[in-house]
Amino acid sequence: MKHKTGSPSLSRLIRRSMNSSTLFTILVFAVIVTILLSVVIRPLAQLGAQLVAHSTMREMTSPAFPKNHGIARLEDLSPEATGFERWWKTVERQEVVNYRIPWIDGDEPLAYDEGREMPRALHTVDIVVRLGDQELYRSAYLSPSGTAEEALRERNWLYDYFNKPYFAPIVNDDGEEVGLIIARIYPPLLVEIVGVTAVLMLLLGLLCFYVNYLLGKWLIGPLLRSLGQLRNVFRRLADGDVDELFEKGIQMDRSYSEIEDIAVETGRIIDNTKMHMEQLKQKNEELEAQKKVLTHQATIDGLTELNNRRHFLELIGGRLGEPGLMLMLLDIDDFKRINDTYGHAGGDVILEGFASVLKESFGGHAVVGRFGGEEFAVFSTRLSEEEMRSGAERLRAAIQSAVFDLPGSRSIGVTASIGVAYAPQNVLTFEELYQQADAALYASKRTGKNRVTVFGESPFRLPG
């Protein structure tokens, strides 16, 4: 038997819940990290770019700047100017001095040597200085080709969100814009931290899934096995497959106290079920025995053990259409005198012996019954006329030759008058057959008793 249910599996539900909780935890962690980066790092990077740009611009727009670099005014600054190299170094210091973390080699840090080797940096500053149509300065780490915007995009295509460039215009004394400083904080160490964080998150997810597997195997597995065993026990109970359960009881893992309690209660249910089934079996046996007794009493004559009249009619009802049909009625001759002489006990002995002769003479498919008092009936089909006559005569002779032992060591014999209704191709109802057989029986009684009369062979006078 297949058991269908619309409910989800507990094991799948637990595993999905654990996996979903793990995934949710990782996603929440990722969202928190992203929010921190967005809320904290991006403004700090833009603020740093703004500070660098304004620091560079303050130097360039200070009154002493032209004099210190050997030029008459700021617009005259160009690579050909005598102080350009000095100015270049000034801008470069804005880029490198305050934002370097030297490599650690043993106990001594490596000093920055003003070269272009890239030490590990908390922040790297990208600076582009334009004056008029000239680009006076571009950070060495940017691509030398293309415009400043293209170089910044090429360098930082993955980090536009976190370090957007800051544009600071250079204005002369008359308020005219004569140049532009573009500054941007590029945080390589921070990017590495984010990458490492992503890897750690991935490893954390894998670790959580592995922990889920261990929890499922170590904690949840026994629980699910026990519940599955209980489910199988109740299925077998529902299907009626209980013999082994009754014999061996519940065989299951009891990994937790709750499961053990359920198993104990289930064992009690099985024991009670066994007791009730045994009681039910006993009741069924008693009812079956009572049914047999009642059926016997309702269908069998208590004295002769022959079919009573009602059951006799039930048995022959479906055979009235068969060919070669014979209904024979028998009456013990002078039975009242036997009762008067030997008492009812003697009469009962005669009736029992008479019934035995009938059963011995007509076995097989013949139906033999007692219609009441000393009247008996025999019904049979598929008999030829000769078989009918010889059988009836043989029965009469057997009755005549029988000796019945009465109480008090007495033995007597009896005779019987027999009337037969025979129909080779029956088109009659049972009532019509019975009338014919009864008329033939009456003729046998009237013409001397101890004889067989077949209906239609002698002059008949219907009783009454």
Side-chain angles (χ1 to χ4, degrees), residues 170-178:
I170 302 174
V171 183
N172 61 15
D173 293 339
D174 298 328
E176 299 175 347
E177 183 177 331
V178 296

Side-chain angles (χ1 to χ4, degrees), residues 148-202:
E149 289 79 3
E150 292 173 347
L152 289 171
R153 191 176 302 112
E154 178 182 353
R155 165 78 178 273
N156 196 44
W157 65 272
L158 190 59
Y159 306 101
D160 286 337
Y161 178 78
F162 294 110
N163 45 338
K164 185 178 179 180
Y166 179 80
F167 298 88
I170 302 174
V171 183
N172 61 15
D173 293 339
D174 298 328
E176 299 175 347
E177 183 177 331
V178 296
L180 181 67
I181 298 175
I182 304 173
R184 183 185 65 179
I185 299 296
Y186 172 69
L189 183 60
L190 184 60
V191 173
E192 290 180 11
I193 293 174
V194 173
V196 171
T197 303
V199 173
L200 290 177
M201 288 173 60
L202 178 60

